[in-house]
Amino acid sequence: DTAVSQTPKYLVTQMGNDKSIKCEQNLGHDTMYWYKQDSKKFLKIMFSYNNKELIINETVPNRFSPKSPDKAHLNLHINSLELGDSAVYFCASSQAGGNNEQFFGPGTRLTVL
Amino acid sequence: AQTVTQSQPEMSVQEAETVTLSCTYDTSESDYYLFWYKQPPSRQMILVIRQEAYKQQNATENRFSVNFQKAAKSFSLKISDSQLGDAAMYFCAYRKNRDSGGGADGLTFGKGTHLIIQP
């Protein structure tokens, strides 16, 4: 069974479009995350979200917004896509307590033309 | 804010040899976790090993071990008996302990080290 899944795995779109990436976890975790990995492989946190707080990295443009319909899902919406948004986006989840491990999805490669 | 530094963009090692990847970090916190993640060409992020800051004993997972020096804020990864399947990007990461106010904080990553295994 897939622990953290993302759809789609690949997304190619035109500048100016609006797109969404879906993320689901079946681990019963209470917190979910979105990370961006740029062309140089640098990974940076974008959002952290649980039912108590949303933490937004201050460097993330407000064109990006997380939406959580329930505890198992955290979708990423991107408005007015720009060339610089091209990257791999990873969803992850973790549980309070224990070893703080985060489980990652397979990533979504977004290409903006 | 915390930072994680990996000073080796690329490392190369002969198969069956031992290699050490370096990582230093900066934080004012005392209760945190450190991680090494592996990212093969498939791009899946795989946890290799973790270390709790309050534990003095270095973590070990089979051929992987760490040298954790809390005072020096150093967290290196040693891979013994290197195998072709170890070839990947390796990322060092930091996270404040969730149970000590870390809340929903994400991981802070270093820029990664590309490990090449020579057959």
Side-chain angles (χ1 to χ4, degrees):
Chain A
D1 284 344
T2 303
V4 183
S5 60
Q6 295 178 227
T7 53
K9 287 197 169 59
Y10 298 91
L11 182 55
V12 180
T13 188
Q14 299 288 330
M15 254 176 31
N17 284 350
D18 302 336
K19 289 294 179 184
S20 295
I21 305 172
K22 295 185 177 180
C23 177
E24 176 181 4
Q25 54 95 4
N26 62 7
L27 298 166
H29 287 169
D30 69 340
T31 304
M32 297 182 72
Y33 312 82
W34 278 103
Y35 291 86
K36 178 181 180 180
Q37 186 173 41
D38 64 21
S39 59
K40 295 183 179 178
K41 303 284 190 182
F42 184 49
L43 277 152
K44 195 168 187 180
I45 184 72
M46 300 176 70
F47 302 101
S48 306
Y49 180 78
N50 61 27
N51 60 356
K52 296 177 184 175
E53 59 185 323
L54 169 64
I55 300 176
I56 303 171
N57 186 309
E58 61 188 13
T59 66
V60 176
N62 58 15
R63 298 181 294 103
F64 291 77
S65 58
K67 291 195 183 351
S68 180
D70 55 58
K71 279 181 61 174
H73 296 83
L74 184 66
N75 303 325
L76 181 64
H77 296 269
I78 317 169
N79 295 326
S80 303
L81 277 156
E82 300 178 357
L83 293 176
D85 297 333
S86 295
V88 179
Y89 293 85
F90 286 95
C91 177
S93 70
S94 72
Q95 182 61 31
N99 57 35
N100 283 238
E101 179 180 353
Q102 292 190 12
F103 293 79
F104 283 79
T108 296
R109 180 175 292 281
L110 171 65
T111 303
V112 182
L113 303 174
Chain B
Q2 56 275 0
T3 58
V4 177
T5 302
Q6 293 179 250
S7 58
Q8 305 152 317
E10 187 172 280
M11 293 282 285
S12 181
V13 63
Q14 290 289 130
E15 198 176 358
E17 297 295 309
T18 295
V19 63
T20 299
L21 308 184
S22 300
C23 174
T24 59
Y25 60 95
D26 188 25
T27 182
S28 58
E29 303 292 338
S30 60
D31 190 7
Y32 51 87
Y33 282 78
L34 296 163
F35 304 87
W36 279 97
Y37 278 88
K38 169 185 176 181
Q39 187 180 41
S42 67
R43 81 169 180 242
Q44 179 68 51
M45 295 292 289
I46 302 165
L47 179 66
V48 175
I49 199 165
R50 77 176 68 85
Q51 175 79 42
E52 296 94 325
Y54 67 86
K55 286 189 177 179
Q56 292 188 339
Q57 187 173 6
N58 290 324
T60 299
E61 289 286 343
N62 301 313
R63 298 182 295 108
F64 298 86
S65 61
V66 298
N67 183 3
F68 173 48
Q69 302 289 329
K70 190 171 184 179
K73 294 182 181 172
S74 170
F75 182 61
S76 61
L77 174 69
K78 185 171 84 170
I79 306 174
S80 304
D81 184 25
S82 297
Q83 300 175 1
L84 294 177
D86 295 335
M89 284 290 290
Y90 286 81
F91 294 95
C92 180
Y94 163 100
R95 191 190 190 286
K96 182 178 176 181
N97 189 353
R98 289 193 60 170
D99 296 336
S100 297
D105 289 357
L107 292 165
T108 299
F109 284 94
K111 292 191 174 181
T113 297
H114 181 211
L115 179 63
I116 298 167
I117 310 295
Q118 307 272 11

